[in-house]
Each structure stands twice: as C-alpha cells, then as structure tokens.
Amino acid sequence: MFDILRRWFGATQQQPSALDDFRRLDAVAPLQAAQEKPASSGMQKATSFICREAILDRNERIAGYEFALGQRMRTRMMEVSAVIRRAYDDAVLCNLAPLGVSALLGGRTAFVHLSVESLQHPLLEAFAHTNTVFMLSPRPLAELDLAALRSSLERLSRLGIKVGWSIRQYRPELAAFLRMADYVELDASAFDGIQLKKLIAELRDANPAQRLIASRLQTEDEFRYCFERRLDFFKGPFVSSRENWRPVAGEVNHLPLFQALDMLQSGAEFEAIAECLRTDPVLTYKLLRYINSPGIGLLQRIDEIPQALILLGRDRFFRWLSLLLFDSRKPGYHANVIREQALTRSRFMEMLAGKGLVPENPDPLFLTGLFSLLHEMLGLTMQQVLQQVALPEAAASALRGEEGPLRHALSLAIALESMDEGVTLAAQRCGVEAVEVANMMIEALAWAQQIVSVND
C-alpha cells in the first residue's frame, strides 16, 4: 500500500501525470499560501505539498496517518467552489486508484479527506475493502442534496468502502449520516467539555461499533480527557509537542552505548569496541536483532559483534548502534512517537542526499535526523547529547541550529510531520519539489515501520 502514496505526486498514468494534475489545479485555484512571495529567479514555484499527521490508538501507538495538504491549504479548498474541490479530489483519486491501497500502511490506516461532491467518482470503487478511510466534512445544508448523499453513501457501504465524517459543529439534520459512518472525527477545539461528552454519548448510543477520533488536541490533558471518554483514536499538536515530556526508563544501558559510539568515532580497534558492548548481553541481543532485520538488507546472517564490525564498517555500525538509544521499556505515546519520528527523519534525510542543494554524503544526514530527537527521549538538552557522543561536525552543526544544507534538510523533515505551512520554503531551500518529497516521505515511513516492528 505504500506504493500508493509513494507515487502520490508521481506519474501513474501516461496522461496526465500527478504533477500535471496539480499544476492544472493550481492554475484555476492557486494553493500558494497568501503570505508567501512568488518564487525568485532560480527557485521553484510553490506547489502543493502533502504532509502527514500521526494518529494514535488507545494503546498509545501510531495506528495510522492522515495524509493531506497543510491546514491552511485545506481551509482554502473548502472555501472555493465545488468545481475546484472536485478537481482536487480527481487529482488525488486518479493517482491513488491504479496502485492498490491494501499494502500502503500494513495494519495501519490511511485517512484521506474527500469532498462530498466526489462521492460518485468512478475511481472510488478501487478502494473497496482496503485500509483507506475517506473523511468527509459537512457542507451547509442548503448546499446538499440529502437524497443523493444518502444514495451515494449506501452505495459506498455496499462496495466495502470506509467513510467517516469530520465534525466541527453538530448538525442534527445529519444525524442519520453520522450513524452510518465507520468513523466520526470530533474537533475537540470546537466543543466544550459538556458538549463533547454529550455528543460522544449520542454517537455511541446510535452506533456502538463506530470508531471515534478526537482531533486537534492541543495538550496532554485534552488527550487524557478524550481517552477517559473512551474515544478510539487521537491526533493533534499534542502528539508532536515537546513540552513537559519526561524521559522513559530505558531497557538499554546507555553508558556503554555512548562509550562504544565514541570509540567508533575516535578510531578505536574493533576488538576494543566489541569488548565494550559484550559486557551488556541485552544490548548485544538487541543490536544483532536490528542488524539482521530486513531493513539493512544483508545477504548473510550476523551472529557476533566483531563480525558485524568487519562486515558493516564503522559508519554503518555507528548507525545501527545509535538506534538502540531509542529503545525503551513499555513506552507510552511520547516514546512511541519520538522513536518513529526519529527513524522516519533519519531515513527521509538520508534519501535527500544528492537531491537539489542537499550534500551527497548520506551518513551525516541520517545521523542528523536520528539524533534530532534524542534529547527529548533522554530528557537532556541537545548540548548535553552532543557532549556525550561525537558526531560528524556537519551533523553536530545542524543539531545546534546553525544554518546550512543539513539544517535545511532537517527543517523540511520536521515541517512534514505536522501540516506545517513552512514546508514549501524548506523544500525550496533544499532545492527539491513536491514529487520528490512525497515519494521519499512515504518510503521513509515504510522503512521506519519495518524497524519499529523489529523492536516490538
């Protein structure tokens, strides 16, 4: 299923390509943010960048992702005419439909927003019985043909296509449609506690099997409130907020890890490095499990640390040893999100190597992405982390916030995580376009999930 969004902006048909579709759409309804200036000479024109937002389940693990334009872009799409909304939907569906969505996120769910005007789109049949959910936003009642809407939703249900509604304001006249939905997303910022509690109760009474999503949660307190109300999924700024995060007790002893990382960078003998790691059997077990995972792509199994050092070399061994810094015991959503975001950032930045204005050496890019969240995981400052482990100067410089190509690449990776409107500017600084960014983001997510599954 990752092949779908991997080529979200790529050419999936001979005519038109995905990029052509979006350029055509930009021509009739420009999606460039209002405050952004036209691209200067030598800079790319601002295009529509797909971002992702993690969605958590009740086990505080990532259950899926919402893939969408940035928040401002989506708001503008809702304000334009139905013709333009259908044009956007058509551009998305034409690229999604031919690729087969059943493999995109494995056991996770892809949530994609769709306009009610597109419910009769012929390509929707391609999404029958997949783990894609189309989320609809209610339109004013005067703009809806209720009979046609009911007929469309019943047809999709018969086809096995999952549909949900995103609710910012409860409309009693649409209660029957909400009851039919597989998912209902409630914007927690639009309701007070009493309203939200009442609405949840009404939805549960009407359809106990329905899955409820709390969105736009700003703080951990809001998350806990919705968790206690028995909602099923959760998303919003609280997921990526770093305020008041407490480090999770680690199962791996970090002291020998830092020592081994330092020895690798300083040129110590392989036998001395192996001896440092050999004193911690848990660390050795987990490291070998990572190294033998499909993500590294080795042709032969590695059973000993010295063997790994010889076959991988210092740089690749350093990478895989660094992953153990994110190992934790019984992690909550903080650690789960940090770990997956760090892995995704590292892979995404590595894939940027040699693209546009990004340096060709992938190793400093990988390490910059991986270590960019380690201070959050360990409850340290970034300065403290950099004092404990020697990183290549280019990576350390980017992590200190100093301007440069690696810092720009890191800014792009961060912007893609939270529907950040700065993604266009960050991409311009890296010299990459929406096609490349979308492909690499999806492939990086696939790789990160593979590594997480090894750890779990």
Side-chain angles (χ1 to χ4, degrees), residues 21-22 24-31 69 73 76-92 115 117-118:
D21 285 333
F22 275 89
R24 188 173 72 241
L25 176 58
D26 280 343
V28 293
L31 297 178
L69 297 173
M73 300 289 192
R76 292 188 64 186
M77 287 304 303
M78 294 305 295
E79 293 172 351
V80 298
S81 70
V83 173
I84 302 306
R85 289 195 295 272
R86 280 195 294 267
Y88 168 73
D89 293 339
D90 184 69
V92 173
S115 304
E117 290 86 358
S118 298

Side-chain angles (χ1 to χ4, degrees), residues 14-25:
Q14 289 296 318
Q15 289 290 336
S17 71
L19 188 57
D20 289 338
D21 285 333
F22 275 89
R23 283 173 173 165
R24 188 173 72 241
L25 176 58

Side-chain angles (χ1 to χ4, degrees), residues 218-220 236-245 333-334 376:
Q218 304 295 318
T219 66
E220 184 169 352
F238 88 98
V239 174
S240 55
S241 172
R242 311 292 181 228
E243 295 182 4
N244 300 320
W245 278 25
Y333 75 84
H334 294 153
E376 305 291 353

